[in-house]
Coordinates of all heavy atoms in Angstrom, one line a residue:
Q154 N 14.3 -32.7 19.0 CA 14.1 -34.1 19.1 C 14.9 -34.8 20.2 O 14.4 -35.8 20.8 CB 14.4 -34.7 17.7 CG 13.4 -34.4 16.7 CD 13.6 -35.2 15.4 OE1 14.6 -36.0 15.3 NE2 12.8 -35.0 14.4
N155 N 16.1 -34.4 20.5 CA 16.9 -35.1 21.5 C 16.8 -34.4 22.8 O 17.5 -34.8 23.8 CB 18.4 -35.1 21.0 CG 18.5 -36.0 19.7 OD1 17.9 -37.0 19.6 ND2 19.3 -35.5 18.8
Q156 N 15.9 -33.4 23.0 CA 15.8 -32.7 24.3 C 14.9 -33.6 25.2 O 13.9 -34.2 24.7 CB 15.1 -31.4 24.1 CG 15.9 -30.4 23.3 CD 16.8 -29.6 24.2 OE1 16.9 -29.9 25.4 NE2 17.6 -28.6 23.6
P157 N 15.1 -33.6 26.5 CA 14.2 -34.2 27.4 C 12.8 -33.6 27.3 O 12.7 -32.4 27.2 CB 14.8 -34.0 28.8 CG 16.3 -33.7 28.5 CD 16.3 -33.0 27.2
F158 N 11.8 -34.5 27.2 CA 10.4 -34.0 27.1 C 10.1 -33.0 28.2 O 9.4 -32.0 28.0 CB 9.4 -35.1 27.1 CG 8.0 -34.7 26.7 CD1 7.7 -34.7 25.4 CD2 7.1 -34.4 27.7 CE1 6.4 -34.3 25.0 CE2 5.8 -34.0 27.4 CZ 5.4 -34.0 26.0
S159 N 10.6 -33.3 29.4 CA 10.2 -32.5 30.6 C 10.8 -31.0 30.5 O 10.4 -30.1 31.2 CB 10.8 -33.1 31.9 OG 12.2 -33.3 31.8
S160 N 11.8 -30.8 29.6 CA 12.4 -29.5 29.5 C 11.7 -28.6 28.5 O 12.1 -27.4 28.4 CB 13.9 -29.7 29.1 OG 14.0 -30.1 27.7
L161 N 10.7 -29.1 27.8 CA 10.0 -28.4 26.8 C 9.1 -27.3 27.4 O 8.6 -27.6 28.5 CB 9.2 -29.3 25.8 CG 10.0 -30.4 25.1 CD1 9.0 -31.1 24.2 CD2 11.2 -29.8 24.3
S162 N 8.9 -26.2 26.7 CA 7.9 -25.2 27.2 C 6.5 -25.7 27.0 O 6.3 -26.7 26.3 CB 8.1 -23.9 26.4 OG 7.7 -24.1 25.1
G163 N 5.6 -25.0 27.6 CA 4.2 -25.4 27.4 C 3.7 -25.4 25.9 O 3.1 -26.3 25.5
G164 N 4.1 -24.4 25.2 CA 3.8 -24.3 23.8 C 4.4 -25.4 23.0 O 3.8 -26.0 22.1
E165 N 5.7 -25.8 23.3 CA 6.4 -26.9 22.6 C 5.7 -28.2 22.9 O 5.6 -29.1 22.1 CB 7.9 -26.9 23.0 CG 8.6 -25.7 22.4 CD 10.0 -25.5 23.1 OE1 10.2 -26.1 24.2 OE2 10.8 -24.7 22.6
K166 N 5.3 -28.4 24.2 CA 4.6 -29.7 24.5 C 3.2 -29.8 23.8 O 2.8 -30.8 23.4 CB 4.4 -29.7 26.0 CG 5.6 -30.0 26.8 CD 5.4 -30.0 28.3 CE 6.7 -30.3 29.1 NZ 6.6 -30.2 30.5
T167 N 2.6 -28.6 23.6 CA 1.3 -28.6 22.9 C 1.6 -29.0 21.4 O 0.8 -29.8 20.8 CB 0.7 -27.2 22.9 OG1 0.4 -26.9 24.2 CG2 -0.6 -27.2 22.1
K168 N 2.6 -28.5 20.8 CA 3.0 -28.9 19.5 C 3.4 -30.4 19.4 O 3.1 -31.1 18.4 CB 4.1 -28.0 18.9 CG 3.7 -26.6 18.6 CD 4.6 -26.0 17.6 CE 6.0 -25.6 18.2 NZ 6.8 -24.9 17.2
A169 N 4.1 -30.9 20.5 CA 4.4 -32.3 20.5 C 3.2 -33.2 20.6 O 3.1 -34.2 19.9 CB 5.3 -32.5 21.8

Side-chain angles (χ1 to χ4, degrees):
Q154 286 186 0
N155 296 319
Q156 294 274 4
F158 189 87
S159 58
S160 71
L161 302 183
S162 69
E165 288 165 348
K166 288 177 181 177
T167 300
K168 287 202 289 185

